[in-house]
Amino acid sequence: MTILWQLVIRNLKLYLRDRAAVFFSFLSVIIILAMYILFLGKMQVDNLSSAYDGIDGIDWLVATWIMAGIVTVSCVTVPLGALGKLIDDRADNIINDFYTSPINRNTLALSYLMSAWVIGFIMVMLNFVIGQVYVLSQGGEFLSLLQYAQMLGLMMLIIMTFSIFFFYLSLFIRTQNAWGLLNTLIGTFIGFLGGIYIPIGVLGDNVATVMNLLPTAHAVTIVRQVYMAKAIDFVFDGVPIEHYNNYAQLYGVSITINGYEMQNWQMIVSLIVFMVIFYVLTILKLRNTKL
């Protein structure tokens, strides 16, 4: 256990020293935030103010929608950036040095995965705190204690789910350039896959159905339902339920596939199943190959 934590701390220190790795881990978050500050946020506020004339709290609602998306994106991109240390160690032949040491192979593999969890959780928590300050600046409120607990659980689940997915992919990628390309692609498309750049509801039915089947959509939707709960209760209090249903469908606060609305527990199970599948695939892969 001591060796495992020493390796985790080593990876954490190396990640934090690599400013480029930290920056690119948050690149998609920075892009999303910039887009919403510059124009998308105002467009969404104007659209909702026009659609629901006279309703207070639109700024709060939009702020929570944006920050829920950003928190979810960072749960995906930060572990991806953290696992770049495995690629670096492989490229620099440091992995071979580990293999000649008394360190168990399973311990070594687990150390990289746990590093992604720890780094992901620290960075996402920082992002989460900044997001709460932003929500307050837009006239919002802090979450309740129960909602904080729910958010912590969801963030840990999403980080662990996508960490094992990217760890599995890392077993096939041998060069830093290829990993950098994967970082760029994920950072570019995660906003679309999660319905953050463009709400899923404005896309065609076929495209929306495909996106709603992906774990990224399930992750961002359950985060939105917790993160936005207070704002939704405030804005849609006393408003016909049809208004909320239309909003939830358009902005990805709920997921409906072929007329069936997915429940929160089903989206959580979907993420767990996704995680277990790639955990098993990773074990099978590591039986026949080195890190």
Side-chain angles (χ1 to χ4, degrees):
M1 183 61 75
T2 302
I3 292 176
L4 175 62
W5 279 109
Q6 286 176 344
L7 289 170
V8 170
I9 292 171
R10 165 197 177 263
N11 294 337
L12 173 62
K13 288 180 178 177
L14 290 175
Y15 172 80
L16 293 176
R17 286 178 190 167
D18 189 346
R19 296 179 181 176
V22 175
F23 174 77
F24 282 105
S25 295
F26 284 100
L27 181 59
S28 54
V29 169
I30 294 169
I31 291 173
I32 293 170
L33 198 55
M35 290 173 66
Y36 274 94
I37 290 174
L38 291 176
F39 59 95
L40 286 180
K42 185 176 185 307
M43 285 176 56
Q44 194 172 129
V45 169
D46 291 344
N47 289 338
L48 290 172
S49 298
S50 174
Y52 308 114
D53 187 31
I55 294 181
D56 294 328
I58 295 296
D59 288 334
W60 179 13
L61 185 73
V62 173
T64 55
W65 189 87
I66 295 169
M67 296 316 303
I70 286 177
V71 165
T72 310
V73 165
S74 59
C75 286
V76 176
T77 58
V78 174
L80 173 64
L83 285 169
K85 181 45 57 186
L86 170 59
I87 306 299
D88 292 342
D89 285 349
R90 189 183 293 144
D92 296 336
N93 290 321
I94 295 176
I95 287 289
N96 291 332
D97 294 340
F98 282 134
Y99 276 127
T100 59
S101 71
I103 299 174
N104 182 280
R105 289 179 55 175
N106 294 333
T107 301
L108 183 59
L110 185 59
S111 72
Y112 287 105
L113 186 58
M114 288 186 64
S115 301
W117 297 347
V118 173
I119 293 169
F121 189 71
I122 292 173
M123 293 300 175
V124 171
M125 279 301 297
L126 177 63
N127 203 355
F128 181 64
V129 171
I130 294 172
Q132 283 284 273
V133 174
Y134 176 73
V135 169
L136 287 178
S137 74
Q138 299 302 304
E141 299 176 0
F142 286 119
L143 302 179
S144 68
L145 288 178
L146 175 60
Q147 288 165 337
Y148 278 123
Q150 291 173 329
M151 283 297 300
L152 285 176
L154 288 174
M155 289 188 293
M156 291 176 66
L157 172 63
I158 297 168
I159 289 169
M160 292 175 70
T161 298
F162 287 96
S163 293
I164 190 63
F165 173 63
F166 293 129
F167 185 80
Y168 179 70
L169 294 184
S170 75
L171 300 179
F172 297 89
I173 296 177
R174 296 290 161 180
T175 67
Q176 292 163 313
N177 286 340
W179 190 256
L181 178 61
L182 178 67
N183 261 284
T184 303
L185 290 174
I186 296 295
T188 303
F189 287 105
I190 187 65
F192 291 104
L193 295 176
I196 298 165
Y197 295 146
I198 303 173
I200 290 178
V202 304
L203 303 174
D205 289 342
N206 292 334
V207 176
T209 299
V210 171
M211 291 178 65
N212 282 333
L213 291 171
L214 299 176
T216 46
H218 301 166
V220 74
T221 299
I222 50 178
V223 168
R224 281 176 181 153
Q225 290 194 4
V226 176
Y227 203 104
M228 299 177 67
K230 276 192 168 184
I232 288 172
D233 289 343
F234 179 82
V235 170
F236 293 98
D237 181 37
V239 174
I241 188 65
E242 292 78 13
H243 288 291
Y244 169 70
N245 290 337
N246 291 337
Y247 171 80
Q249 281 295 307
L250 183 62
Y251 286 92
V253 184
S254 64
I255 286 181
T256 301
I257 301 174
N258 292 330
Y260 177 77
E261 182 176 340
M262 288 189 72
Q263 304 300 307
N264 285 357
W265 70 267
Q266 292 170 323
M267 288 184 268
I268 291 173
V269 168
S270 161
L271 289 172
I272 293 173
V273 169
F274 185 81
M275 177 173 60
V276 170
I277 288 173
F278 281 96
Y279 183 76
V280 172
L281 288 175
T282 299
I283 291 175
L284 294 175
K285 178 67 177 173
L286 285 175
R287 283 181 177 175
N288 303 314
T289 186
K290 290 183 176 180
L291 278 175

